[in-house]
Amino acid sequence: MFTIGDFARHGRVSVRMLRHYDATGLLRPAHVDPASGYRYYTAAQLARLNRIIALKDLGFTLQQVQDIVDEKVAAEELRGMLRLRQAELETAMAVARARLVQVEARLQAIESEGHMPTNDVVIKSVPTVRVAELTATAASYQPEDISPVIAPLYDELFRCLGSAGITPTGPGVAYYEDAPEGGGRIRVHAAVQVSAPLQDGAFRILDLPPLVQAATIVHRGSMDTVLPTAQTLAHWTDANGYRANGYPREVNLECPENRDHWVTELQAPVTQT
């Protein structure tokens, strides 16, 4: 038999953890000396300990681990538990990847602060354009709040257009405004150019008003990394005697499957100060 210290070394766990497993009934010692209270374990118990550690590493609770190692969970139920855990981990990885993109974008913005390139900004007028659109509300104007809202909107918009037999005639145009309820919330408009009669219904077709003056810049890459480009535009606007009159429109010039290869023009309505 092994003392609790030796068993902990062989099992690569702490003595404190073994005592906790004993207290919860997850892994009882094979023998407890009645006089000294010392715990002793057998080599055969290492297999149960290894299984406990493996299941814990998968993210199961101690109660779930105990049910599994005590064979209180049927094989089909265990498969279901593992599939659910797999889905949870995949979701967590996707969230982490999105956060990493945001961190990288903010690092780029910080590193370029004070020496923003300005030669890519162009002042031009934007004509009226007819679009079909769906709208929803985002918690803020930050990319991490906009992206999860606008992507499903576009999916639903294209589904609705297909059902209505309407084919887009130009690029997507996303635009934004402060939501009526306030609190920093943003009304998101996911639109695409069409040639069809005005309508309200499952989706809306309207004429997007012209921009007499717009400061424009081209962003290359996923919209999750738009922050440095948007800040370049804001710096240029301020440094060249203009004042922004609302949020920039986003015109999707190229949208291949790989979002890192997207090309988007930002069109900020401005007036001269």
Side-chain angles (χ1 to χ4, degrees), residues 134-138 143-159 174 176 188-191 222-224 250 252 259 262:
L134 288 175
T135 63
T137 300
E144 57 264 34
D145 288 327
I146 295 293
S147 294
V149 172
I150 200 167
L153 277 180
Y154 268 116
D155 290 342
E156 178 63 13
L157 176 61
F158 287 122
R159 187 192 67 78
Y176 310 92
V188 178
H189 297 257
S222 165
M223 292 305 292
D224 290 336
E250 299 165 359
N252 308 123
R259 297 190 176 198
W262 280 14

Side-chain angles (χ1 to χ4, degrees), residues 25-239:
L26 186 57
L27 180 60
R28 301 282 195 192
H31 174 71
V32 178
D33 188 290
S36 64
Y38 289 167
R39 298 172 174 86
Y40 295 91
Y41 296 82
T42 66
Q45 288 180 289
L46 283 171
R48 183 180 175 94
L49 178 60
N50 289 339
R51 196 173 184 202
I52 291 169
I53 294 169
L55 291 168
K56 274 189 61 187
D57 286 345
L58 290 175
F60 289 115
T61 66
L62 287 184
Q63 185 58 59
Q64 289 173 323
V65 170
Q66 184 157 7
D67 289 343
I68 294 170
V69 297
D70 288 344
E71 298 183 348
K72 295 179 181 178
V73 176
E76 187 56 38
E77 185 180 355
L78 179 57
R79 277 194 290 272
M81 293 169 66
L82 289 169
R83 290 192 188 102
L84 177 60
R85 186 60 186 150
Q86 181 183 37
E88 291 172 346
L89 291 171
E90 288 172 348
T91 299
M93 289 171 62
V95 170
R97 282 194 295 269
R99 286 177 179 165
L100 180 60
V101 168
Q102 295 302 320
V103 169
E104 291 172 346
R106 292 185 184 278
L107 282 173
Q108 290 177 26
I110 291 170
E111 290 167 358
S112 60
E113 188 71 31
H115 51 85
M116 294 288 189
T118 60
N119 56 333
D120 288 333
V121 178
V122 175
I123 293 289
K124 64 183 181 182
S125 61
V126 177
T128 300
V129 59
R130 181 160 295 188
V131 298
E133 72 169 27
L134 288 175
T135 63
T137 300
S140 79
Y141 190 56
Q142 296 298 317
E144 57 264 34
D145 288 327
I146 295 293
S147 294
V149 172
I150 200 167
L153 277 180
Y154 268 116
D155 290 342
E156 178 63 13
L157 176 61
F158 287 122
R159 187 192 67 78
C160 289
L161 289 176
S163 297
I166 298 174
T167 301
T169 57
V173 182
Y175 65 103
Y176 310 92
E177 58 188 343
D178 293 329
E181 57 265 37
R185 295 177 180 83
I186 297 296
R187 195 65 177 164
V188 178
H189 297 257
V192 65
Q193 293 184 25
V194 296
S195 178
L198 301 177
Q199 74 165 55
D200 282 309
F203 56 91
R204 187 182 179 200
I205 296 180
L206 70 155
D207 288 329
L208 203 56
L211 301 178
V212 177
Q213 276 190 318
T216 66
I217 189 171
V218 173
H219 171 69
R220 290 175 170 82
S222 165
M223 292 305 292
D224 290 336
T225 64
V226 75
L227 184 61
T229 307
Q231 290 188 351
T232 296
L233 185 59
H235 276 253
W236 186 97
T237 300
D238 182 66

Side-chain angles (χ1 to χ4, degrees), residues 1-15 18 21 27-30 39-50 52-53:
M1 284 192 175
F2 297 106
T3 65
I4 190 171
D6 288 338
F7 191 72
R9 277 195 301 277
H10 287 297
R12 306 292 180 91
V13 296
S14 66
V15 170
L18 287 177
Y21 290 166
L27 180 60
R28 301 282 195 192
R39 298 172 174 86
Y40 295 91
Y41 296 82
T42 66
Q45 288 180 289
L46 283 171
R48 183 180 175 94
L49 178 60
N50 289 339
I52 291 169
I53 294 169

